[in-house]
Amino acid sequence: MKSFCIFAAVLVAVAAESYPEWYIQQGRYRRDVTLDHKVGTNGRVFGTLGQNDAGLFGRGGYEHNIFDDHRGKLDGQVHGTRVLGPYGDSSHMGGGLNWQNSNAAASLDYNKQIHGPSSFNAAAGGKWPVGKNGDFSLQGTYGKTSGMRHDYGGRGVFNYRW
């Protein structure tokens, strides 16, 4: 019986490879419409509408450079997503702030699923020179999703280039 099952599996595999070309269905190509438009001197509006085998989707948002000077660079963003599919629909919205300078960086993100969970993530890190050939970096993260435990992380690294 075992050898019959193996024989049947091999026969099915060989038959699957011998279908005529006209029978094999071609995959659908993506049909996306994308927008990326500068607004003023420091803003940008972006968005995408599209369709694939999983359904229809749309994503849009606004990104703004708050400052870029001796303090570093601070960018803010708000965005939203809508998906319509055969397995259900979903809507998400969120935003974030990202700051960086020559030695450090930090980010703060918030995301909310409409009628669902929300999540909050923060991360920061810095890199400082040590002597002529070395540097020390320190990074930390914090995250929280509704209904789940807090997530913490940290990392410290000393690099020395011989």
Side-chain angles (χ1 to χ4, degrees), residues 20 25 145 147:
Q25 294 180 353
T145 301

PDB file of all heavy atoms in Angstrom, residues 20 25 145 147:
ATOM      1  N   PRO A  20      -0.662  21.684 -20.784  1.00  0.00           N
ATOM      2  CA  PRO A  20      -0.322  22.575 -21.899  1.00  0.00           C
ATOM      3  C   PRO A  20      -0.242  24.025 -21.411  1.00  0.00           C
ATOM      4  O   PRO A  20      -0.843  24.403 -20.410  1.00  0.00           O
ATOM      5  CB  PRO A  20      -1.488  22.381 -22.877  1.00  0.00           C
ATOM      6  CG  PRO A  20      -2.574  21.732 -22.107  1.00  0.00           C
ATOM      7  CD  PRO A  20      -1.960  21.042 -20.947  1.00  0.00           C
ATOM      8  N   GLN A  25      -2.768  29.207 -15.696  1.00  0.00           N
ATOM      9  CA  GLN A  25      -3.266  30.571 -15.533  1.00  0.00           C
ATOM     10  C   GLN A  25      -2.116  31.532 -15.283  1.00  0.00           C
ATOM     11  O   GLN A  25      -1.212  31.243 -14.505  1.00  0.00           O
ATOM     12  CB  GLN A  25      -4.250  30.648 -14.379  1.00  0.00           C
ATOM     13  CG  GLN A  25      -5.506  29.877 -14.611  1.00  0.00           C
ATOM     14  CD  GLN A  25      -6.448  29.997 -13.434  1.00  0.00           C
ATOM     15  OE1 GLN A  25      -6.123  30.546 -12.407  1.00  0.00           O
ATOM     16  NE2 GLN A  25      -7.632  29.463 -13.595  1.00  0.00           N
ATOM     17  N   THR A 145       1.496  46.840  22.793  1.00  0.00           N
ATOM     18  CA  THR A 145       0.331  46.583  21.962  1.00  0.00           C
ATOM     19  C   THR A 145      -0.831  46.270  22.886  1.00  0.00           C
ATOM     20  O   THR A 145      -0.657  45.577  23.888  1.00  0.00           O
ATOM     21  CB  THR A 145       0.582  45.404  21.010  1.00  0.00           C
ATOM     22  OG1 THR A 145       1.706  45.722  20.188  1.00  0.00           O
ATOM     23  CG2 THR A 145      -0.620  45.136  20.125  1.00  0.00           C
ATOM     24  N   GLY A 147      -3.623  44.779  24.983  1.00  0.00           N
ATOM     25  CA  GLY A 147      -3.884  43.413  25.386  1.00  0.00           C
ATOM     26  C   GLY A 147      -2.643  42.547  25.516  1.00  0.00           C
ATOM     27  O   GLY A 147      -2.747  41.369  25.822  1.00  0.00           O
TER      28      GLY A 147
END
